[in-house]
Amino acid sequence: MTCSEFLAQLDDLIDDKVSVRMRADLEEHLHGCEHCVITLSTTRKTIEIYRKHVIYELPNELRDRLQKAILAKCKKC
Amino acid sequence: MSTIQTQGTEEIHPDILLVNRARGGDVEAFEKLVRQYDRQVFRIAQHITQNREDAEDVVQDAFLKAYEKLNQFQGNSKFYTWLVRIAVNESLMRLRKRRTGRMVSIDEDVETEEGSMPRDLADWGPDPEEQYGQSEMADILRKTIQGLPPGFRVVFVLRDVEGLSTEETAETLGLSIPAVKSRLLRARLQLRERLSRYFRNRKKDGVK
């Protein structure tokens, strides 16, 4: 397996959607390729970091204001 | 055995019960849906419009539109997915208004070399975020994701941040499943590459 072939399966590997056979092939490639080991671990970490940190917070005050405005308009519908 | 189990055992999602009540004019039921999903709608709108005021308007307009169109909602998709589709369309409309004269589309595929093959191969430390404070970290993540083309950004946000499935993301954005997969891979790799500038393990110079 080449690095390009590994990369084509990267998302399915991360999302745990590869077959048992494919997983074995991917793992075999990983044994001999530090490049792909790093790509896999840092891509996983990228997703994890974006999931963990809320980068656009809706402050409570604004949230209350928006909710009131939405419901006031709905009542007029 | 399976025939017995399939009879009437399918659970109705609580959102559907709220939608049904709201359809009958129960505004309090709709309020529950607003409270449940307003943060997500705001985040998605911010990611697409990159503008705080626009995101606030999108939250109002998306929920209002959803309320007005509740009769058109068909129970074969989740209420959340349906709402996100409205929010994405509203966000794109705002973005187009701000960028008059410039085409804004999530349909066009962006040909880019970046992300097709990883270049920065330095490993990261076990806890790369520890080097940064909470607000500095949020700044880095914002700046990094803002640099992605809108069509990649929205796929990454829906799929990886908001947790929609590939199928739901495709349905929400009106894209094919292969298009979602291709964009997701490139978005993930581009973000990884860009974050490497901040997180690369400087002590480990030996890695090529």
Side-chain angles (χ1 to χ4, degrees), chain B residues 18 43 46 57 102-103 150 166 194 200:
Chain B
L18 291 171
R43 281 202 298 264
Q46 268 267 215
D57 288 345
R102 279 177 62 191
M103 272 300 289
T166 303
R194 289 165 191 225
R200 66 206 312 264

Side-chain angles (χ1 to χ4, degrees), chain B residues 52-66:
Chain B
R52 171 73 175 256
E53 279 173 35
D54 282 350
E56 289 178 25
D57 288 345
V58 168
V59 173
Q60 291 200 52
D61 292 350
F63 278 109
L64 199 62
K65 209 163 243 182

Side-chain angles (χ1 to χ4, degrees), chain A residues 4 7 11 15 35 38 42-43 46-47 50-53 55-57 63 67 71 73-74, chain B residues 31 35 38-39 42-43 60 116-117 121 124 129 141-142 145-146 159-160 185 188 192 207:
Chain A
S4 296
L7 210 58
D11 278 348
D15 299 334
H35 172 162
I38 292 172
T42 51
T43 305
T46 297
I47 298 164
Y50 270 100
R51 274 195 193 143
K52 201 163 104 185
H53 296 265
I55 58 177
Y56 294 119
E57 197 94 54
R63 200 177 168 217
Q67 285 173 357
L71 295 166
K73 285 180 186 167
C74 286
Chain B
E31 185 176 0
R35 285 181 190 282
D38 57 352
R39 290 191 183 96
F42 179 75
R43 281 202 298 264
Q60 291 200 52
S116 51
M117 186 53 84
L121 298 176
W124 301 352
E129 305 138 273
L141 296 179
R142 258 193 304 271
I145 200 165
Q146 279 169 1
R159 187 67 185 65
D160 279 341
L185 175 64
R188 284 173 169 179
R192 187 208 75 86
V207 178

Side-chain angles (χ1 to χ4, degrees), chain A residues 63-64 67, chain B residues 30-39:
Chain A
R63 200 177 168 217
D64 285 347
Q67 285 173 357
Chain B
F30 191 69
E31 185 176 0
K32 284 188 180 157
L33 291 166
V34 174
R35 285 181 190 282
Q36 184 138 340
Y37 297 121
D38 57 352
R39 290 191 183 96

Side-chain angles (χ1 to χ4, degrees), chain A residues 1 6 8 13 22 29 38 43 52 59 67:
Chain A
M1 179 180 277
F6 178 86
L13 179 64
M22 179 57 81
H29 177 79
I38 292 172
T43 305
K52 201 163 104 185
Q67 285 173 357

